[in-house]
């Protein structure tokens, strides 16, 4: 089920993964806790995680690129649902694993609905080609998928049509991932670095500049568990003085570009105090 202990990681680049254009449907249900951590603490954090977990087989040293295009209404309904903390809320996105500059029509991507029901995060997604994903989400056209994925695709189409969803912002980052072993098989920990985004030029491979939406000296650590978070994880977070945050990369991107005013209910501003003026800092789109 999981890679053997101490699987050797590969160098930075596209993850060694098997991506197919078959439209297989996947669903996840998890509890999530998010922390802000300083990049200077990542080596110690990585060492601690390696003592209890395996590196994900698809996670190279330095992380693999993840890019997401989010859809929302003209009035930013999904954004405000998150800010107001509704017990049931959701987001629609297209997600790419790999370098966005390499994205072409045939590149495999995921169309995802991520939703929150009380304290449980649920994610449902279907894998299709990038061209097919854009036909569904931007062109609002019917697409051919296998029978098991059809109800999900119908839900996406209905959501887009009823709410008049449109591309809003992108987010991107380099992700390191760790998976639980032994008694912690349901545990997954990710560290997201160089978190950036843009509010235009939404094709993944567009020659466009991104801005950091989280100061680059900070990273987001996400703890994901099926049932419980092990004691050693919360103890590690306390010892390393990591701050629990109510933060959404999507909301952070919306706020960073002034699409909506910064909310006091989102990540506290003092936690995001930059060491450089990050709102004007650009990052290349090839991450």
């Amino acid at each position: 089920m999981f890679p053997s202990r101490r699987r050797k990681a590969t160098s930075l680049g596209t993850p060694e993964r098997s991506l197919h254009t078959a439209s297989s449907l996947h669903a996840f249900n998890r509890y999530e806790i998010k922390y802000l951590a300083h990049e200077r603490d990542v080596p110690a954090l990585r060492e601690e995680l390696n003592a209890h977990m395996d590196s994900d087989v698809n996670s190279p040293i330095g992380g693999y690129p993840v890019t997401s295009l989010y859809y929302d209404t003209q009035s930013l309904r999904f954004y405000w649902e998150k800010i107001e903390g509704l017990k049931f809320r959701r987001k629609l996105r297209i997600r790419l694993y790999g370098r966005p500059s390499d994205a072409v029509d045939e590149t495999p991507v995921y169309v995802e609905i991520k939703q929150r029901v009380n304290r449980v995060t649920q994610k449902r997604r279907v894998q299709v080609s990038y061209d097919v994903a854009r036909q569904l989400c931007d062109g609002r056209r019917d697409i051919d998928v296998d029978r098991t994925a059809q109800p999900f695709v119908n839900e996406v189409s209905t959501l887009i049509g009823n709410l008049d969803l449109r591309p809003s912002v992108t987010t991107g980052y380099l992700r390191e991932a760790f998976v639980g072993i032994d008694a912690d098989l349901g545990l997954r920990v990710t560290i997201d670095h160089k978190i950036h985004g843009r509010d235009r030029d939404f094709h993944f491979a567009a020659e466009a500049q991104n801005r950091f939406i989280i100061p680059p000296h900070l990273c987001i650590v996400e703890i994901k568990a099926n049932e419980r978070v092990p004691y050693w994880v919360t103890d590690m977070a306390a010892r390393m003085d990591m701050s629990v945050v109510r933060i959404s990369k999507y909301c952070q991107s919306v706020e960073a570009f002034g699409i909506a005013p910064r909310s006091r209910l989102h990540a506290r501003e003092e936690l995001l105090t930059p060491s450089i003026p990050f709102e004007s800092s650009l990052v290349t789109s090839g991450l």
Side-chain angles (χ1 to χ4, degrees):
M1 181 180 297
F2 291 99
S4 60
R5 197 76 186 268
R6 300 294 166 269
R7 181 183 293 272
K8 185 178 180 180
T10 60
S11 59
L12 178 61
T14 303
E16 291 181 350
R17 56 177 65 242
S18 176
L19 289 177
H20 306 286
T21 54
S23 50
S24 52
L25 184 66
H26 303 273
F28 307 89
N29 294 283
R30 286 180 174 141
Y31 295 96
E32 292 185 359
I33 303 174
K34 295 180 181 179
Y35 296 89
L36 272 180
H38 202 291
E39 285 287 350
R40 66 171 175 247
D41 297 326
V42 167
L45 173 61
R46 191 183 290 124
E47 183 177 357
E48 183 94 18
L49 292 173
N50 278 326
H52 295 88
M53 307 179 73
D54 276 336
S55 292
D56 189 302
V57 63
N58 296 312
S59 183
I61 296 170
Y64 55 89
V66 181
T67 308
S68 299
L69 171 60
Y70 286 87
Y71 291 76
D72 209 334
T73 67
Q74 188 171 8
S75 60
L76 299 178
R77 171 175 174 163
F78 297 158
Y79 167 84
W80 289 111
E81 286 180 350
K82 165 64 178 178
I83 294 301
E84 294 169 5
L86 297 191
K87 291 186 177 180
F88 175 79
R89 57 183 185 266
R90 56 189 170 181
K91 295 191 288 277
L92 173 69
R93 67 192 180 198
I94 298 176
R95 172 160 285 190
L96 167 71
Y97 295 94
R99 295 185 184 275
S101 56
D102 295 338
V104 295
D105 285 350
E106 297 77 20
T107 300
V109 299
Y110 289 96
V111 176
E112 298 184 345
I113 292 178
K114 185 176 182 180
Q115 63 190 36
R116 179 95 167 195
V117 181
N118 293 322
R119 294 178 56 243
V120 178
T121 299
Q122 300 175 341
K123 184 167 68 175
R124 292 170 294 132
R125 66 188 191 182
V126 63
Q127 188 185 58
V128 293
S129 71
Y130 187 29
D131 177 58
V132 169
R134 285 181 290 145
Q135 289 180 39
L136 172 64
C137 297
D138 298 330
R140 305 187 181 191
R141 284 180 262 168
D142 293 333
I143 62 172
D144 292 327
V145 293
D146 62 44
R147 181 176 55 83
T148 59
Q150 192 63 56
F152 174 76
V153 170
N154 292 344
E155 180 181 354
V156 171
S157 296
T158 300
L159 198 62
I160 292 171
N162 288 351
L163 298 181
D164 190 23
L165 299 183
R166 61 200 63 191
S168 178
V169 294
T170 68
T171 65
Y173 44 86
L174 294 175
R175 167 164 285 182
E176 292 185 68
F178 301 83
V179 293
I181 58 175
D182 302 330
D184 298 330
L185 285 182
L187 180 66
R188 182 174 175 85
V189 178
T190 57
I191 309 173
D192 295 337
H193 310 270
K194 298 182 179 179
I195 303 166
H196 57 276
R198 65 177 182 261
D199 64 345
R200 63 199 70 190
D201 301 319
F202 290 126
H203 191 288
F204 285 142
E207 294 183 0
Q209 294 283 356
N210 295 268
R211 289 183 178 179
F212 287 114
I213 59 174
I214 300 288
H217 69 283
L218 296 176
C219 58
I220 294 179
V221 180
E222 294 188 28
I223 313 297
K224 306 171 186 181
N226 292 342
E227 296 180 356
R228 62 175 183 84
V229 176
Y231 172 76
W232 69 263
V233 174
T234 53
D235 179 65
M236 173 192 68
R239 284 188 286 102
M240 301 191 69
D241 198 28
M242 294 194 298
S243 303
V244 176
V245 288
R246 182 174 180 253
I247 193 168
S248 158
K249 299 182 188 75
Y250 167 61
C251 292
Q252 192 65 29
S253 193
V254 167
E255 293 175 2
F257 290 102
I259 302 171
R262 188 160 195 49
S263 171
R264 291 180 301 165
L265 300 177
H266 197 212
R268 300 199 309 276
E269 190 167 2
E270 62 268 23
L271 292 176
L272 297 176
T273 301
S275 58
I276 62 172
F278 75 96
E279 289 183 347
S280 61
S281 298
L282 301 179
V283 59
T284 61
S285 59
L287 279 178

